Amino acid sequence: MIKRNKLFGNKTRVTFCLPVNQPAGPVSVVGTFNGWQPGAHELKPRRDGTRTVSVTVPPGSYHFRYLATDGHWFDDENADALGPHGGEIRV
């Protein structure tokens, strides 16, 4: 799941959400908003059985993928679009 919240000014907080154990182990979201840097935005467990991380971005289009343990890359079916560079979100 991907949630968007408009913030003061021209920014949007984008929250990426996955089930707490699917896949098992640490997962981070990497993309054009963080220079594709693994571990920069690791999803953290929440009490509701999910794990999330939020990034704040200006208006634009951003490509992203999730990176799990053992170099397992995967996409989010809730992205605005899916392509050869993973998912795309537009804010």
Side-chain angles (χ1 to χ4, degrees):
M1 178 185 325
I2 302 169
K3 299 177 189 175
R4 296 169 179 86
N5 294 79
K6 292 284 186 183
L7 302 175
F8 180 76
N10 214 16
K11 303 278 185 173
T12 299
R13 178 176 40 233
V14 180
T15 302
F16 298 90
C17 180
L18 293 173
V20 75
N21 291 319
Q22 295 178 8
V27 175
S28 59
V29 63
V30 293
T32 54
F33 50 81
N34 65 11
W36 294 96
Q37 183 178 4
H41 292 98
E42 186 174 323
L43 283 76
K44 302 294 181 191
R46 304 292 177 216
R47 283 188 261 163
D48 66 359
T50 65
R51 53 185 161 177
T52 65
V53 68
S54 296
V55 297
T56 301
V57 295
S61 177
Y62 302 91
H63 292 278
F64 74 97
R65 296 191 83 194
Y66 295 107
L67 178 59
T69 305
D70 296 328
H72 173 69
W73 292 91
F74 63 101
D75 298 318
D76 191 323
E77 64 186 35
N78 296 303
D80 295 331
L82 288 173
H85 301 290
E88 179 183 1
I89 52 171
R90 299 177 197 108
V91 294

